Amino acid sequence: MTPGRAVGWSPRRPIVLVGPMGSGKSTVGAALGRALGLERLDADELFEADHGPIPEYFTAHGEPAFRRAEEQVIDEALRRPGPRVLSLGGGAVLSALTRSRLAACHVVFLTVDEEVALRRLGGGEGRPVLAGDPGRTWRRILAEREGLYREVSDWTVDTTGRTAHQLAETITRLVREAETASPTPGAVHP
């Protein structure tokens, strides 16, 4: 696939999607990669290809080991040549090293309504960090990480009620404008 083939333009830097579980990072990342004709990578998929299923790794090795391995997977993905779309796991921003590496990327913070996120997550099945009370745990995790998502992001885009195609169009427009007109980063876009 030729980068930028679909829109006649290709970003100069990787586009990275961050946000809480259920915000649509994987789905939007796939649509954005298709729209831009770019390689699309998903940090969770890359992790599982190297280390096996995340819930099993998390249980067997604990969160600190998981985060270290996740950090390495993300570093390798960001070191690949050329522009690409990379979707990160919800907790990837907990790593100071990962946050520093994101400075060289276009980063989009995807937000979502809690009810929609929990519906997308199927009540938290297969998500070890949501064990117990998924809603309360999701809110707590978002509260702990939201400042980090905002810290690393150039834009905030709400995914609630929007299709992956619509979101890909919005993100493409934002990145393209940034590379041609340098608008103020950090702006919130519905």
Side-chain angles (χ1 to χ4, degrees), residues 31-56:
L32 186 58
R34 280 190 306 274
L36 292 172
L38 294 178
E39 177 182 30
R40 175 267 188 183
L41 302 171
D42 184 289
D44 287 350
E45 291 173 6
L46 294 170
F47 183 95
E48 291 192 345
D50 288 349
H51 303 285
I54 291 173
E56 292 174 18

Side-chain angles (χ1 to χ4, degrees), residues 12 174-185:
R12 293 186 294 270
L174 292 170
V175 173
R176 191 173 194 167
E177 287 174 0
E179 289 196 351
T180 58
S182 300
T184 305

Side-chain angles (χ1 to χ4, degrees), residues 16-18 43 67-76 78 86 88-89 91-105 107 148 151-152:
V16 179
L17 305 178
V18 300
R67 295 296 173 203
R68 284 190 302 275
E70 178 185 50
E71 187 178 81
Q72 186 173 15
V73 165
I74 292 167
D75 180 51
E76 290 170 7
L78 290 174
L86 175 62
L88 298 187
V93 296
L94 295 172
S95 162
L97 186 56
T98 294
R99 291 194 309 272
S100 71
R101 290 178 175 137
L102 294 178
C105 305
V107 183
L148 298 174
E151 173 188 320
V152 300

Side-chain angles (χ1 to χ4, degrees), residues 56-162:
E56 292 174 18
Y57 189 95
F58 203 93
T59 300
H61 303 284
E63 186 171 5
F66 168 73
R67 295 296 173 203
R68 284 190 302 275
E70 178 185 50
E71 187 178 81
Q72 186 173 15
V73 165
I74 292 167
D75 180 51
E76 290 170 7
L78 290 174
R79 289 181 184 275
R80 292 183 183 199
R84 76 205 61 77
V85 175
L86 175 62
S87 302
L88 298 187
V93 296
L94 295 172
S95 162
L97 186 56
T98 294
R99 291 194 309 272
S100 71
R101 290 178 175 137
L102 294 178
C105 305
H106 295 292
V107 183
V108 183
F109 170 27
L110 299 182
T111 62
V112 66
D113 176 79
E114 175 187 344
E115 184 179 315
V116 172
L118 292 174
R119 188 172 48 242
R120 290 176 181 171
L121 294 168
E125 188 69 29
R127 304 276 181 152
V129 297
L130 289 181
D133 181 346
R136 183 178 349 177
T137 304
W138 188 89
R139 286 188 302 275
R140 178 186 54 77
I141 291 171
L142 176 60
E144 292 170 355
R145 298 173 181 174
E146 186 171 12
L148 298 174
Y149 296 140
R150 293 190 186 285
E151 173 188 320
V152 300
S153 299
D154 299 302
W155 307 278
T156 300
V157 176
D158 188 358
T159 66
T160 306
R162 299 173 71 194

